[in-house]
Amino acid sequence: TDRRISGFKPTGALQLGNYLGAIAPVVRGQHAQPTVVFVADLHALTVPHDPHRLRELSLQVAGLLLAAGVDPRRSVLYRQSDLPAHAELHYLLECVAGYGEVHRMIQFKEKGGGSGTRLSLLTYPVLMAADILLHDIAEVPVGRDQRQHVELTRDLALRFNERYGPVFTVPRAVLPEVAARVADLADPTAKMGKTNASTNGVLFLLDPPDVLRRKIMRAVTDAGTEVGYDPERKPGVSNLLDLLSACTGEAPERIAPQYHSYGSLKAATADAVIAMLEPIQRRYHELTESDIETALEQGADRARERADATVQRVKSAMGLSRHT
Ligand code: TYM
């Protein structure tokens, strides 16, 4: 059966887009499909960071993944920097990737280019490709913002296989049906993100219920008064409908006619989000640091064998080390 992988960058606290776009789909799928989940701490070094805070955030991300239902007996959950194979495959794939195709990535165009831009921000998608290809992955559940990076991963896998022989499984991105791009509540044209400049429109998984409610009640909506699902013309209202839909499982088009004012839609969305996050927050606060560290260490032990075997195959195919 098809193996899946999902990664989370500890550059800030996890937010609802992370949950709906990737965590929830991974948790739902882990009983049917072998699953790898990891804290992408090497990726967090691509931007300025405080080392102490990075270590804390890595643990927080891992703890929230456990609290959200990642089952460490079923899924392999680990911290990227505990497995040297990521960095080793990253370099080998840099010898397959082209400067032009990496430079064209939308996220680099948006975030990079200024003075002080780290070289690692440019090569970031190649590290992401290494993360995926290391584990013979077929499916990558991600939000829409990561789709282009998975496309690049496909291109690199196909090119490698053509050039050096069939070494890699060729993966594809899997996007959720709703909430593939949760928007910032204060600016529905922007993506909800861990590191958005203002946190007014970002629902963090660990925000207390009153904070969640306040942010949702103050969400920017659109002209008019009618609740309708139209992401192009009514991005604010449609974003709320997406959130409520993701919480209840009912399609946004069917939810819309049930509400006759923006206020009642917001109140229902707040109730649903708070109810969904409450058990996750409770389980998170029950976990100790050593519970989390133990899970991560055991996960790395389980991930190591396959990762090392992949690197060996790659090196051998490329003419490095002893032929196997
Ligand atoms: P990151 O940490 O930014 O986000 C983690 C996951 O959450 C999704 N996501 C969203 N989905 C819907 N709406 C949003 N507003 C939203 N914001 C974030 C992301 O698409 C992602 O699935 N490069 C990755 C981490 C990574 C990775 C990997 C992922 C590194 N290696 C290998 C998968 C496979 C990132 O920055 O995700």
Side-chain angles (χ1 to χ4, degrees), residues 4 24-35:
R4 312 177 115 196
V26 160
V27 168
R28 271 199 299 276
Q30 71 184 337
H31 295 281
Q33 291 174 266
T35 302

Side-chain angles (χ1 to χ4, degrees), residues 4-232:
R4 312 177 115 196
I5 193 169
S6 206
F8 300 85
K9 204 171 46 180
T11 46
L14 290 176
Q15 39 84 17
L16 195 63
N18 300 130
Y19 182 74
L20 298 178
I23 300 174
V26 160
V27 168
R28 271 199 299 276
Q30 71 184 337
H31 295 281
Q33 291 174 266
T35 302
V36 179
V37 184
F38 70 102
V39 180
D41 58 348
L42 295 175
H43 287 270
L45 306 183
T46 56
V47 290
H49 65 279
D50 171 53
H52 176 71
R53 172 104 179 113
L54 173 58
R55 189 172 292 110
E56 267 179 12
L57 278 172
S58 294
L59 278 179
Q60 189 190 88
V61 167
L64 271 167
L65 290 167
L66 290 166
V70 172
D71 178 349
R73 287 160 305 183
R74 261 193 185 273
S75 300
V76 173
L77 169 70
Y78 70 99
R79 178 168 43 206
Q80 187 185 26
S81 61
D82 286 340
L83 237 59
H86 286 268
E88 194 169 6
L89 186 57
H90 177 203
Y91 176 74
L92 298 172
L93 289 178
E94 280 188 340
C95 303
V96 178
Y99 176 79
E101 65 189 340
V102 173
H103 204 260
R104 275 195 299 276
M105 292 288 114
I106 293 164
Q107 282 209 339
F108 183 75
K109 284 194 174 167
E110 284 171 1
K111 294 186 188 169
S115 70
T117 298
R118 300 179 182 198
L119 182 57
S120 57
L121 190 69
L122 175 66
T123 59
Y124 174 117
V126 184
L127 179 57
M128 182 160 161
D131 303 336
I132 296 168
L133 298 180
L134 211 42
H135 291 288
D136 298 324
I137 297 298
E139 292 185 355
V140 191
V142 282
R144 194 175 302 153
D145 62 320
Q146 297 299 321
R147 181 162 57 185
Q148 194 186 36
H149 293 157
V150 181
E151 289 299 316
L152 177 73
T153 304
R154 280 183 75 83
D155 292 346
L156 297 182
L158 288 165
R159 188 179 307 150
F160 188 100
N161 288 349
E162 203 185 347
R163 197 176 286 172
Y164 298 108
V167 168
F168 290 128
T169 302
V170 181
R172 65 177 181 281
V174 182
L175 271 57
E177 266 175 47
V178 282
R181 182 187 183 276
V182 174
D184 188 305
L185 296 176
D187 174 7
T189 62
K191 181 186 74 168
M192 187 178 285
K194 293 182 208 94
T195 56
N196 289 10
S198 160
T199 58
N200 293 339
V202 181
L203 302 172
F204 293 104
L205 300 189
L206 290 175
D207 274 345
D210 59 317
V211 174
L212 293 168
R213 187 175 301 279
R214 191 172 64 234
K215 288 176 176 176
I216 294 171
M217 294 311 291
R218 290 188 186 160
V220 169
T221 43
D222 312 292
T225 54
E226 202 185 325
V227 176
Y229 190 66
D230 183 349
E232 291 286 311

Side-chain angles (χ1 to χ4, degrees), residues 209-279:
D210 59 317
V211 174
L212 293 168
R213 187 175 301 279
R214 191 172 64 234
K215 288 176 176 176
I216 294 171
M217 294 311 291
R218 290 188 186 160
V220 169
T221 43
D222 312 292
T225 54
E226 202 185 325
V227 176
Y229 190 66
D230 183 349
E232 291 286 311
R233 303 221 316 269
K234 290 198 151 205
V237 171
S238 301
N239 191 42
L240 291 168
L241 287 166
D242 274 339
L243 291 183
L244 187 50
S245 165
C247 295
T248 63
E250 202 177 357
E253 295 87 351
R254 292 174 57 100
I255 297 177
Q258 298 167 28
Y259 294 93
H260 301 293
S261 71
Y262 292 168
S264 61
L265 172 63
K266 286 177 175 179
T269 306
D271 289 343
V273 168
I274 290 167
M276 185 177 68
L277 295 184
E278 192 272 330

